[in-house]
Amino acid sequence: RESSTAFGFVRPSPTSRVIMTASIVADAEDWVKSELAGQDGSHDWWHIARVRATALSLAREESLPESSMLTVELAALLHDVRDWKYSGDANAGAEAVSSWLEDRGHPADDIRSIVKIISNMGFKDELVSSASSSASAEITPEFKVVQDADRLDAIGALGIARTFCYGGARGDPMHVPGVEPRMGLTKEQYVQTSSAGGRVNTVVNHFHEKLLRLKGMMKSESGRRRAEGRHEFMLTYLEQFHGEWDGDR
């Protein structure tokens, strides 16, 4: 049932809010599945499903209020829609998500919160720009858990699998002795690694250029705790990889 306020406005009942929440989540799932259909396994629906589950788990560990859970869930579900690595447009995802949510009558303040999260949670968005220094995104509790969930899926056993999957889809070699990782990349240099160029980009170098840095970039206490084991697993894997590559193991 709905109730009226003293000023005559209709206040949705708790039951109707639950129904509205379930409806937009289900619609988001369907839209994301359609958007990511045919995408390689590094950024497919199952990546989204894992990030959603991890983000909600982190939110509970961080004691976020129930009122934050829909923001967390929708941001996690929608964060890779028209990702710049695939669309070639850094603004395509935020614009598509904002329009999609507006079309469904989602509250404007929550749309702004969701779009801020997905627009600023990428690794490249924390790198120094050679062009100018831009203002940092507001680090809300919701931002922390969604970004940490996405980064946790980029490291550990799943991160290793996703990295080789993405490199294979791009045609990158696993490893080329003598081609060293580029450390301290600017935002522009990192973005250029996704475009054609004269330099060889290897999967193993991606560990050093990005993945091994993520443990130190976690925002929540829960995310930092989970990152420890995944980070150590990658170090062990790389040691084994190079030993086998060199014929020593």
Side-chain angles (χ1 to χ4, degrees):
R1 294 179 57 185
E2 295 177 334
S3 59
S4 298
T5 66
F7 298 99
F9 298 118
V10 176
R11 180 187 295 114
S13 69
T15 300
S16 67
R17 283 197 294 270
V18 169
I19 294 171
M20 291 165 59
T21 296
S23 175
I24 195 165
V25 167
D27 287 349
E29 290 173 350
D30 290 342
W31 185 49
V32 171
K33 288 176 182 177
S34 174
E35 283 283 322
L36 302 186
Q39 205 136 287
D40 70 84
S42 69
H43 293 80
D44 62 359
W45 163 251
W46 297 111
H47 162 64
I48 301 300
R50 292 190 302 271
V51 171
R52 187 225 330 234
T54 303
L56 290 171
S57 175
L58 291 174
R60 289 189 289 269
E61 286 187 37
E62 295 291 308
S63 300
L64 268 65
E66 191 62 35
S67 59
S68 293
M69 294 304 178
L70 182 58
T71 302
V72 168
E73 186 166 16
L74 287 175
L77 281 170
L78 301 170
H79 81 275
D80 267 348
V81 168
R82 302 183 196 177
D83 186 303
W84 66 274
K85 294 188 292 297
Y86 296 89
S87 69
D89 183 345
N91 299 314
E95 291 171 357
V97 167
S98 181
S99 177
W100 187 86
L101 290 168
E102 288 171 1
D103 288 347
R104 276 144 192 84
H106 198 63
D109 57 343
D110 199 43
I111 293 176
R112 286 190 293 271
S113 297
I114 291 166
V115 170
K116 278 184 179 180
I117 292 171
I118 67 175
S119 297
N120 296 284
M121 62 184 277
F123 175 73
K124 67 178 176 58
D125 297 305
E126 287 189 59
L127 299 178
V128 175
S129 172
S130 61
S132 62
S133 57
S134 55
S136 298
E138 181 184 0
I139 307 299
T140 63
E142 296 82 4
F143 180 99
K144 290 179 181 181
V145 298
V146 176
Q147 185 187 62
D148 281 3
D150 189 40
R151 289 180 170 178
L152 285 168
D153 208 57
I155 60 178
L158 283 167
I160 292 169
R162 290 182 63 219
T163 300
F164 279 93
C165 185
Y166 181 65
R170 291 188 358 151
D172 292 340
M174 290 192 298
H175 176 53
V176 178
V179 177
E180 299 297 325
R182 293 182 296 172
M183 308 307 290
L185 292 172
T186 64
K187 180 177 181 178
E188 291 76 15
Q189 289 170 331
Y190 179 75
V191 169
Q192 286 169 6
T193 64
S194 293
S195 60
R199 188 181 189 279
V200 174
N201 295 306
T202 75
V203 175
V204 167
N205 280 353
H206 189 62
F207 283 83
H208 300 282
E209 293 170 354
K210 177 183 177 180
L211 306 189
L212 293 174
R213 299 177 60 183
L214 295 180
K215 182 187 76 165
M217 299 173 75
M218 294 290 164
K219 301 294 190 301
S220 68
E221 289 297 328
S222 303
R224 281 191 281 271
R225 284 196 299 271
R226 295 193 191 190
E228 289 288 343
R230 298 192 187 206
H231 182 85
E232 291 302 316
F233 187 87
M234 290 193 298
L235 293 177
T236 300
Y237 172 80
L238 287 171
E239 181 181 357
Q240 182 72 19
F241 178 95
H242 286 293
E244 292 182 13
W245 186 279
D246 296 336
D248 297 333
R249 295 191 182 191

